[in-house]
Amino acid sequence: KMDTFADNFSEVSYDQGDYYFKMIYYIFDRFNNHGNKGGDRINIFNTDVRISKKNYNIEHLNPRNPKNNLYDISLDEDRDYINSLGNLLVVSSHANSKAGNDSISEKIEKVYKNSLKLSTVRDFVESFNAKDWETKEGIFKSIEKRKNDMTIIAYKNIWAL
């Protein structure tokens, strides 16, 4: 049961069109609102993805087109990692407009620290270790670990299967 869930959850990717955009917004809505009641809920997901995009954007932790591509990451060659759920975070549209193609460390200082009301952003900032994101191998390992951690949390806690 867990293996099937993990396989399907791992397939969610940024580059697969509107259906998956909705799925990503939905997943982050569930993560951010897990355990929240009524007025504490933050509405990230909307069935009309255009409405979701007005308020929240899907942010790539490691940018698709890094400003200073120190690690020789190519969107064409490394698409599976770059568009993986483990490399994504939903942030306010306002915050995302400031993020640009900066490094993760720069984004944390300029952007993410201002979006801490979202639990997924807060959790990422609290667990971030710059050393894990300093090499191409480290970045991909961190993305994969985050995706696997999210899968376990989704399975055991969010959907409690």
Side-chain angles (χ1 to χ4, degrees):
K1 203 170 169 183
M2 171 65 175
D3 290 342
T4 302
F5 180 88
D7 289 344
N8 291 326
F9 196 77
S10 293
E11 287 182 20
V12 176
S13 175
Y14 182 83
D15 67 347
Q16 293 181 326
D18 275 352
Y19 173 78
Y20 281 93
F21 280 5
K22 286 181 187 180
M23 183 78 70
I24 292 165
Y25 281 113
Y26 181 75
I27 288 168
F28 279 97
D29 184 275
R30 298 295 96 196
F31 269 81
N32 282 290
N33 289 304
H34 182 70
N36 290 351
K37 303 229 186 302
D40 294 334
R41 290 188 47 75
I42 300 169
N43 293 318
I44 295 170
F45 173 74
N46 190 298
T47 54
D48 184 345
V49 78
R50 292 172 300 176
I51 293 172
S52 293
K53 285 181 179 180
K54 282 183 185 177
N55 298 314
Y56 295 96
N57 290 146
I58 300 168
E59 164 69 4
H60 287 78
L61 296 171
N62 192 77
R64 292 169 53 137
N65 300 300
K67 185 168 46 176
N68 299 317
N69 195 356
L70 304 174
Y71 312 116
D72 193 33
I73 293 173
S74 161
L75 183 56
D76 290 334
E77 293 174 24
D78 304 314
R79 173 173 251 102
D80 289 346
Y81 287 103
I82 298 303
N83 291 318
S84 162
L85 197 55
N87 192 43
L88 303 177
L89 197 60
V90 170
V91 297
S92 73
S93 298
H94 177 72
N96 191 43
S97 67
K98 294 179 182 178
N101 290 320
D102 290 339
S103 71
I104 298 171
S105 296
E106 292 171 312
K107 288 180 186 182
I108 284 176
E109 290 305 315
K110 290 188 336 190
V111 181
Y112 302 158
K113 285 191 175 179
N114 297 319
S115 297
L116 297 180
K117 71 177 185 171
L118 296 172
S119 64
T120 52
V121 175
R122 188 174 53 251
D123 293 346
F124 179 76
V125 169
E126 289 172 359
S127 68
F128 179 74
N129 181 350
K131 289 181 182 178
D132 294 339
W133 297 79
E134 287 181 345
T135 65
K136 183 174 182 175
E137 180 182 282
I139 290 168
F140 291 169
K141 189 175 175 181
S142 296
I143 290 169
E144 192 67 23
K145 180 185 181 322
R146 186 166 180 266
K147 180 181 74 174
N148 292 339
D149 291 348
M150 289 175 71
T151 301
I152 292 166
I153 292 167
Y155 183 81
K156 291 183 176 180
N157 300 4
I158 307 297
W159 285 280
L161 300 173

